[in-house]
Amino acid sequence: AQSVTQLDSQVPVFEEAPVELRCNYSSSVSVYLFWYVQYPNQGLQLLLKYLSGSTLVKGINGFEAEFNKSQTSFHLRKPSVHISDTAEYFCAVSDRPAGNMLTFGGGTRLMVKP
Amino acid sequence: DAGVTQSPTHLIKTRGQQVTLRCSPKSGHDTVSWYQQALGQGPQFIFQYYEEEERQRGNFPDRFSGHQFPNYSSELNVNALLLGDSALYLCASSFGLFPGQKGSPLHFGNGTRLTVT
């Protein structure tokens, strides 16, 4: 069975500072990887996805993530955060045969301070 | 272009009752998945519908059932409600069963907040 671990439940950071949200997964097969963002009282919005090809993936709002197969990680980064980036971030994985059946991590709350 | 729409937005039920939640997929999408998100946790996969059939199911009891209609909309039914069923129920749609090739990744609605008292 696959699992996703988001190592930090909360990450406080000052505005305009860089940030990295960590995600590790376990799976015995090839995977698809995703990062979603959830603002208060809303659903999940797709930030970026890794399906195949280049291991560095760029997404919306200036976010990027790097797939590291040997370390089974898919960390999310942004070089300079804004107050509006304050939200809950979820890493998700699916085994390729399972397609869009996602397993989510527990989430990381990014708190951007002025 | 309407995204994924869910109704109702909020619902309060009593233990033992039954509930039906509804979802209309994003335009052009034909696959609907349901997730349960307990407070402070990540979403958990309940099941997925494609061509009006349940294609994949997560680790949820038979009290949770669903249906997909010819217009691709879907319902989630929960019988014999327990206090532990209180959660945000998220519907997600996609084109096809896979995020790559000719398919699409999941697009989520804003959810239905179910409270069981």
Side-chain angles (χ1 to χ4, degrees):
Chain A
Q2 57 187 209
S3 65
V4 179
T5 302
Q6 293 185 242
L7 296 162
D8 305 296
S9 59
Q10 295 186 57
V11 173
V13 63
F14 286 105
E15 193 174 18
E16 297 184 7
V19 70
E20 177 180 83
L21 306 184
R22 297 180 291 169
C23 173
N24 286 89
Y25 68 93
S26 66
S27 176
S28 58
V29 299
S30 295
V31 296
Y32 298 121
L33 294 158
F34 308 84
W35 275 98
Y36 282 85
V37 60
Q38 187 175 35
Y39 298 101
N41 300 315
Q42 293 188 25
L44 279 69
Q45 179 183 6
L46 181 66
L47 277 178
L48 48 78
K49 61 185 183 292
Y50 170 79
L51 303 181
S52 64
S54 173
T55 56
L56 182 62
V57 179
K58 294 190 182 297
I60 63 172
N61 300 340
F63 284 94
E64 64 180 32
E66 186 158 18
F67 169 50
N68 187 318
K69 187 175 182 179
S70 62
Q71 298 188 4
T72 60
S73 68
F74 191 54
H75 300 333
L76 181 70
R77 302 185 184 99
K78 186 170 182 177
S80 176
V81 294
H82 303 127
I83 294 288
S84 60
D85 292 323
T86 295
E88 192 84 21
Y89 291 79
F90 292 97
C91 179
V93 64
S94 72
D95 291 343
R96 285 180 177 264
N100 268 325
M101 187 181 85
L102 303 188
T103 297
F104 284 85
T108 296
R109 177 151 183 79
L110 176 63
M111 299 176 292
V112 182
K113 300 180 288 185
Chain B
D1 179 19
V4 179
T5 58
Q6 293 186 241
S7 63
T9 55
H10 295 83
L11 204 51
I12 300 175
K13 289 288 188 177
T14 303
R15 273 183 303 174
Q17 287 187 318
Q18 178 263 347
V19 68
T20 298
L21 310 182
R22 295 177 175 82
C23 172
S24 293
K26 179 181 168 66
S27 178
H29 286 185
D30 57 6
T31 305
V32 173
S33 302
W34 287 91
Y35 286 78
Q36 180 195 67
Q37 185 179 20
L39 199 61
Q41 297 183 24
Q44 284 194 296
F45 175 75
I46 303 175
F47 42 54
Q48 177 189 65
Y49 278 85
Y50 174 70
E51 293 185 334
E52 302 180 49
E53 291 185 5
E54 182 182 292
R55 297 296 178 139
Q56 300 189 86
R57 187 179 182 92
N59 189 25
F60 279 81
D62 292 344
R63 299 187 296 109
F64 289 77
S65 63
H67 189 76
Q68 186 179 35
F69 299 95
N71 67 352
Y72 308 120
S73 67
S74 177
E75 288 182 349
L76 163 66
N77 300 291
V78 186
N79 294 322
L81 284 167
L82 303 173
L83 294 179
D85 295 332
S86 295
L88 180 68
Y89 287 85
L90 295 165
C91 174
S93 71
S94 61
F95 178 71
L97 295 169
F98 296 89
Q101 300 175 335
K102 297 181 181 178
S104 74
L106 296 180
H107 291 251
F108 284 83
N110 286 336
T112 294
R113 173 73 62 186
L114 172 65
T115 302
V116 182
T117 62

